[in-house]
Amino acid sequence: MPIAIFVALQSSVLQGIDQILRHAVPPADNLGFTWVAFLAWATYFLAGSTVRGGAKALIGVVIGILYSIGVLVLGDWLGAFGFLASPMAILLLIPLVMYLELGPDLVTLVPAVFVGAGTFFACMLYVPGATFAAIATTQVTYTLLGLTFGWMTVAFRTAHQNRAAMAPARESPK
């Protein structure tokens, strides 16, 4: 129960932070990006629930942002192909993303790349006034928040479990 209450408290605090940040992060008049932080929070667990895994997740999200920008720019360049422009851009760039699995350890978390790319595409398509720089800045800000909250969840859970393990065992009634 204490862990569940702590996560609920964290979620409430995160929502409060979003209500403050939405007026400070671009684009202007946004409705908030708590959902980006929650995706990053979950990605922290996917990455192994460690600080190193969190760093890999952040790097993956940034690569996903860069990939998305590449798809959008290449799709524009291939505009003469009409309907096929975006699918062709994706077809050309996805193999590069998949090869990250063979790269240095810090860039091998391909699921984080897809979370970063999906989030960036969603913001570019559905957030009025979105620009590459504004969305990248906001997405990285909220990703850092989510990864921090993931770390706090694990730290609290570990501390709670360690305390419980050290508590004197209760005598069972005879």
Side-chain angles (χ1 to χ4, degrees), residues 108-168:
T108 59
L109 192 61
V110 172
V113 174
F114 282 99
V115 168
T119 302
F120 191 83
F121 283 131
C123 290
M124 289 302 297
L125 291 172
Y126 298 108
V127 175
T131 64
F132 291 163
I135 294 304
T137 300
T138 298
Q139 185 173 345
V140 168
T141 299
Y142 276 84
T143 295
L144 287 168
L145 266 174
L147 294 173
T148 300
F149 274 64
W151 173 83
M152 290 186 327
T153 302
V154 172
F156 180 83
R157 181 181 199 125
T158 301
H160 176 71
Q161 289 172 336
N162 288 343
R163 270 192 311 276
M166 294 178 148

